[in-house]
Every structure is written in C-alpha cells, then in structure tokens.
C-alpha cells in the first residue's frame, strides 16, 4: 500500500487560501478575501485576475478543462466540461479562461427538475460562481478538471438548485444573530456563520455480486431477499476490526478526500454487516455541504478500485439497519467563538440560554419543515423503524440543560449541575472526567455539548436542504427575539422573561427519554407533536402559508420556489416508486419465475420417479405443491402491479401520482416480495438466479 504524507497531499487539488496568496497580487487577494469573508460584491476586474490565476494553477497541475459545478434539485451534482481553449486565428489554439467565464456560465436548464418554475421554452439557465467555497481539481484516470462551485438559476433569477437557498439562509442567520449579539454588547463580531460536520454512513458490497442484482442496479436497494440465518443481532460488526479490503478502500478514499482539502477524520464499521461510516471535521455549512457531495461521489468512485460498490441508499437491505447522515450544526462568530458552547456555568450564560431557547422554539414551530428536510423515498424505510430516530421531531438536551430550563421555568435560577470524576474500579486505570450528561442515540435532534445533531437526514441526500431550513427557522426566531429586545427598557429582565416564556410555550418538544419506545409515540401524541410517517405526508410542509411567509420574510425562498420544491418532491417520490415497481415486475418475471418453474419441473420429475419406484413421495409432492402455490401468489401480485403501473402512467398531476404510488404501488411491492422471498427459501440455492442476502452481506474477501 502506497504511503501517504498527509502534509504533502492535503489540499493539493484545491485553489485554497495558500494558493491564492501565492498566485494573486496582494491587492486582488485582499479584495477577494473581503468578498469571501464579508460578502462584498466582486468587481469584474478582480474576477479577471482571479480567473487567470486559477487557470494557470489548474494548467500547471495538468488540467485541460474547467467546469461549473452545481447542485440541481436532483440532490446530486452536475458538471459540464469546457476546454481551456481558444483558437489563435493562425491554426493553433491558446489556453484561455476569462473572468466572465469564471463568474457566469450558461447551462441548458431544461433537463433539470424545476418544479414548474421554468417553462420548457425558457431553457436558459445560468450558473454563477460561489467564491465562498473553494474551486478544486477533480482527478480521475482521464486527467484533471478544474471545478468551480456555482449556483444554478433560471433566466429570471429563480433558484433552480440547492445551494442558492443555503447561501441566502446563511445571510439571514447572520443578519439576525448579529442583532442579538449587538444587544448583548458585542460590537466586534462582524459575522455569524453556521458550522456543520456531517457523518456519512454507507454500505460496501462486492461488485461481481452487485452486477447480478438488477434491483440494486436500478433502485439502489434490494427489492427481494430473504433474511440469512445471521443478521446484526450479535452486534459484532459495530466498531469491529476492519476487513483488509475495506481498510484499503478507506485508505484510498481518505487520500482522495485529503487531496480535495476535505478533513476526513473518523472511520469505523457500523451496526449492519458491510456498513461503515466516515466523519470529517466540521467546517462552514456551505463548504461542508459541497464537501459532503464530494465525499459521496468519491466513495462511489473509489469502491470499484477494490471490486466493491458503495451503496448510499437509506435502506439497501430489509431487516438490518439502514444508513443516515448525522448533521452536526452550530453557530460560530468570525472571531472563532462557538455561540452554542454553554461554558462551565451555563446558568450564568444568558446569551447561550437565549440562543438555546431560540432553537427549541424554532424546532417546535417548524417541526414539519424539519421533517420534510429529511424526507426521501429511501428514508421512509428507516425513520420510526427502531434503528433511526422516530418520525416525531423532538429535542434532547441532557440532564444539565434540562435542569437549568426547569429552574428558569420555576423562576429561580441558581446553579448548573457539574460533571464529576468517575472511577472504573481497577487501581491501574485512570480516573476519568465524566461528561455532565450521557448521550442519547434515539433523539432526532440532540444537543451534544456545543452543537445540535440532527440525525434524521437520509444517507443519500444533500445536506443543503436540512441546513437552509434550520438556518432560516432559527433566523426567524432570533428576528422575533431581537424585535422585542430592541424595545426593552430593562434588557436583562426582558431577556429572562423571554427565556422563561419561550420554555413554557415550547418545552413540549424537549424529550430526554427513549425515542424508539412505543410510550413516546403515545406521549408525543398527547403533547400534540406531529408524527409525520412518510415522505408523502411530509411534503405539504414546504408550501404551507406558515413556511412560505417565513422563507419570503428572510429572502430564502419565494412562494414560487417553495411550490416548485413540493412539486419536485412529489415527482421524485412517484418516479422512484414507479421504478421500484417496474424493477420488481422485471425481476419476478424474468428471473424469479423462470428459476422457480425450472426447479418445480425438477421436483415434478422427482415425484414421478419416486412414484414409479413405488416409494413414498409425500415430501417431494408437498414441496412441489408449495412451489406451485407460491408461484401462483407471485403471479397474481405481479399482475396487480403491472395493472397499477398502467394506471399511474396516465396521471398528470404529480401529487395524485405520488399518492397513488404510496397507497397502491408501495403495498403491492410487499405483496410481490413475500411470495418471492418464500420461493428463494424453497428453491435450491444453485438454481436461484442472483446472490442472496447471505452472499451479499457476508461475502468473503
Ligand atoms: P458521534 O459521536 O455522533 O459519532 P463523531 O465524532 O463521529 O460523533 O462526529 C461528530 C461530528 O460533529 C464531526 O463531524 C465533528 O467535526 C462535528 N462537530 C464537532 N463540533 C462541531 C461544531 N461545533 N459544529 C458542527 N459540527 C461539529
Ligand atoms: Mg453522530
């Protein structure tokens, strides 16, 4: 295995601060930094110089092309490559890249989902440079391409992507958080940013087996498969020793990510067999979002080098845990202070307490929006299934903060519970300093010391949407708080009154118990907390009057942009379920039925031979009977599915189609799977047409 020198490779493919300092004239560098840090407008003259420097750097590294890299509403990234090439008029060509080309690109937007925001005749879309996320070189066997992070908007300036609302929400949060800081006498902070560290779960399976599973190829998950004798019940995979093929994969993955300046830090085996996790060190939300897209992309790219395939689907296998993404979120000042750090005596930290209750209020009021931010067809299989947070949004605060909030509510705030030392019992072991509170793994939104961890996000999703929703709703509450506090005569008294009122009004969303329990589902219903079980039920939240008013007030999304996002979600849901339904029909008809029939024929021959020999043939006949009956059951279910797929084909309204998918096609998928999985059990292993769960989950290196 090739040795890695971290300091040599880290960031080598990034047009980062060090490269800018080295390659840009001082004055230009200062202006660009000012735009990156403070959001000042970039002049055309500066862009020209930056473009040139970027091009020279990329070409020195061996790049021949550049691409505006953007994040359409499909949730994945898109790129269109252009060569650094301009004819010189004398039969040759020179490498050129202008400021104009850096700042603005044109993309035919008609093939990206727009949710009706753009009529088909208005195909023009623009990509615009986001200088706050660094440009980078994408490397593969064919060479290097300079990728410039951009937003995508329509001819009329409407956001057609996931990055634009995120950038707008950063501005909104900054504006409102600064108002609060000023009220607390902070005159030095220039900017408040949000930081995110996204832990990424994924599966790795053998590529040869993958190629034989049409369901995984077409849908990202298994649609068939009986449980093997062993699942995850022994808890022997979580944090288990890494298998060599997997650790070689991680080694190369880290190397590629480090080259891109992505601080991949933690890696381990997860709960399910073949499941793993990677966590980078947190960074600003915009960069973290771009980085997470690159992490997912790089995982997929590197896996085949080890004859593996990386599955990012939320539920690749029924019966074992699926994958999610933990979105760790905090607010930080440009001076480096984490505003969600409670300090040693949180009860004396009024600013922290105010920000804390602002988050609590925001989550309580907009629980439905937070829920939709984690909605995708794959996540429907995870949320509420005892492996991931329930579909009910609640907040875990831990013993210390809950105690403080109780004190405030009761009107006498005097102390903070402190962490203690812990003895492990053996004299040779050191005393450990205990954290003030234990962890809670079952909460969808947990305070974990100095940040909130939103644990519902699906593993394949972009984190842009959860974060622009969290940023906006927190900005909205801070705005309300600032409006009130700016008018206060006695500021300190008003702050305490506000904190107390907010706790009283919104404490129903705080829950420190077991989120996986049935009692919590009942208790949450008593508290009036929404329990939004599926993506279909979650979608309307993005276009309620409440949500639209908030997004419009803070300039994050317009009414039309909200409506469009709902349409796109309906479309995404319907399309995914239809593809799954079609795949099931295909696999059942072309692979499972022929295999079962072939095997039935063998068994029928056996019955006849046994009969002819004059011996008992009861068990062979019983097997044949089961095979035939199960086959019939499968045929009936497949016929129903084929008919349902015809019905949905005729539906133009996306919401109607999605509803039909949820209520009719989705249940039919189980109707097909049950007899098919029984057939897998009945048919001899060597006659089964594709690798089973046992093969996929327990492949030998
Ligand atoms: P877990 O115990 O949840 O598995 P990890 O240590 O694997 O935690 O991941 C925690 C993530 O939270 C990391 O990505 C880490 O960088 C990130 N993180 C730590 N502090 C902050 C912070 N202040 N804001 C945002 N993210 C943070
Ligand atoms: Mg976590």
């Amino acid at each position: 295995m090739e040795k890695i020198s971290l300091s040599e490779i880290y960031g080598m493919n990034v047009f980062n601060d060090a490269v800018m300092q080295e390659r840009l004239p001082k004055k230009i560098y200062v202006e660009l930094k000012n735009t990156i840090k403070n959001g000042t407008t970039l002049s055309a003259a500066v862009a020209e110089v930056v473009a040139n420097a970027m091009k020279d750097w990329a070409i020195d590294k061996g790049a021949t092309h550049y691409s505006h890299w953007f994040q359409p509403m499909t949730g994945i990234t898109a790129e269109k490559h252009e060569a650094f090439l301009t004819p010189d008029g004398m039969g040759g060509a020179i490498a050129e890249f202008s400021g104009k080309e850096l700042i603005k690109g044109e993309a035919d937007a008609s093939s990206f989902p727009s949710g009706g925001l753009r009529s088909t005749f208005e195909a023009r879309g623009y990509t615009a440079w986001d200088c706050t996320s660094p440009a980078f070189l994408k490397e593969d066997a064919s060479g290097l391409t300079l990728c410039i992070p951009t937003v995508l908007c329509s001819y009329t300036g409407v956001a057609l992507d996931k990055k634009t609302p995120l950038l707008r929400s950063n501005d909104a949060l900054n504006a409102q958080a600064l108002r609060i800081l000023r009220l607390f006498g902070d005159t030095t902070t220039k900017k408040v940013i949000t930081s995110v560290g996204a832990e990424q779960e994924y599966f790795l399976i053998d590529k040869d087996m993958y190629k034989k599973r049409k369901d995984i190829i077409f849908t990202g998950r298994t649609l068939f498969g009986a449980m093997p004798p062993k699942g995850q019940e022994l808890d022997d995979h979580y944090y288990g020793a890494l298998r060599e093929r997997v650790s070689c994969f991680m080694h190369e993955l880290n190397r590629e990510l480090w080259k891109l300046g992505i601080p991949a830090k933690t890696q381990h085996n997860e709960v399910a067999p073949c499941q793993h996790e990677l966590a980078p060190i947190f960074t600003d939300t915009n960069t973290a979002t771009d980085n997470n897209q690159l992490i997912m992309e790089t995982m997929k790219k590197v896996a085949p080098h080890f004859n593996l395939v990386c599955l990012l689907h939320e539920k690749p296998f029924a019966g074992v845990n699926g994958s999610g993404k933990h979105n760790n979120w905090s607010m930080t000042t440009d001076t480096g202070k984490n505003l969600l750090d409670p300090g040693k005596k949180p009860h004396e930290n009024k600013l922290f307490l105010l920000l804390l209750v602002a988050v609590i209020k925001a989550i309580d009021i907009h629980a439905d929006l937070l829920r939709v931010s984690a909605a995708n067809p794959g996540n429907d299989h995870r949320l509420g299934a005892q492996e991931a947070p329930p579909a009910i949004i609640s907040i875990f605060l831990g013993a210390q903060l809950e105690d403080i909030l109780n004190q405030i509510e009761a009107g006498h705030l005097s102390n903070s519970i402190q962490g203690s030392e812990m003895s492990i019992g053996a004299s040779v072991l050191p005393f450990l300093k205990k954290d003030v509170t234990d962890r809670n793994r079952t909460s969808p939104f947990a305070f974990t010391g100095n940040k909130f961890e939103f644990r519902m996000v699906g593993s394949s999703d972009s984190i842009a949407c959860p974060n622009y929703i969290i940023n906006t709703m927190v900005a909205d509450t801070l705005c309300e708080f600032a409006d009130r506090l700016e008018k206060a005569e006695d500021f300190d008294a008003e702050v305490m009154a506000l904190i107390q009122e907010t706790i009283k009004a919104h404490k129903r969303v705080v829950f420190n118990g077991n989120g996986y329990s049935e009692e919590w589902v009942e208790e949450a219903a008593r508290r009036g907390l929404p329990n939004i079980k599926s993506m279909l039920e979650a979608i309307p939240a993005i276009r309620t009057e409440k949500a639209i008013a908030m997004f419009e007030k803070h300039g994050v999304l317009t009414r039309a942009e909200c409506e469009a996002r709902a349409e796109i979600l309906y479309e995404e849901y319907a399309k995914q379920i239809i593809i799954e339904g079609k795949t099931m029909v295909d696999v059942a008809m072309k692979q499972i039925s022929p295999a079962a029939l072939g095997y039935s024929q063998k068994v029928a021959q056996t019955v006849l031979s046994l009969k002819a020999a004059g011996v008992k043939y009861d068990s062979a006949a019983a097997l044949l009977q089961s095979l035939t009956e199960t086959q019939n059951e499968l045929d009936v279910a497949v016929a129903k599915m084929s008919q349902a797929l015809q019905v949905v084909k005729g539906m133009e309204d996306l919401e109607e189609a999605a509803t039909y998918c949820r209520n009719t096609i989705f249940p039919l998928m189980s109707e097909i799977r049950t007899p098919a999985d029984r057939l897998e059990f009945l048919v001899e292993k060597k006659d089964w047409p594709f690798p089973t769960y046992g093969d996929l989950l327990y492949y030998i290196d």
Side-chain angles (χ1 to χ4, degrees), residues 251-289:
H251 182 86
E252 187 176 323
L253 175 65
N254 286 332
R255 191 183 60 200
E256 292 310 308
L257 294 176
W258 291 339
K259 281 187 199 168
L260 290 166
I262 298 174
K265 166 99 175 147
T266 312
Q267 60 198 27
H268 59 80
N269 282 349
E270 260 299 329
V271 173
C274 295
Q275 193 188 23
H276 314 280
E277 182 184 293
L278 178 144
I281 295 172
F282 68 99
T283 176
D284 74 276
T285 306
N286 182 32
T287 309
T289 304

Side-chain angles (χ1 to χ4, degrees), residues 199 277 326 328 439 441 453 455:
E199 305 160 53
E277 182 184 293
H326 288 176
N328 295 273
R439 281 176 179 266
R441 290 272 171 202
E453 184 172 4
R455 302 188 177 127

Side-chain angles (χ1 to χ4, degrees), residues 100-160:
K100 263 200 206 129
E101 287 168 308
L102 169 63
I103 290 183
K104 190 179 107 187
E106 218 184 300
D108 178 354
S110 60
S111 297
F112 295 110
S114 77
L117 279 173
R118 184 195 40 74
S119 324
T120 4
F121 60 90
E122 291 168 352
R124 214 188 270 270
Y126 293 117
T127 50
W129 181 32
D130 164 25
C131 65
T132 57
S133 180
F136 57 91
L137 290 168
K138 227 189 221 189
E139 198 179 348
D140 63 22
S142 74
L144 289 155
T145 303
L146 170 67
C147 289
I148 300 150
T150 55
V151 298
L152 173 71
C153 64
S154 77
Y155 186 64
T156 47
V158 174
L160 294 178

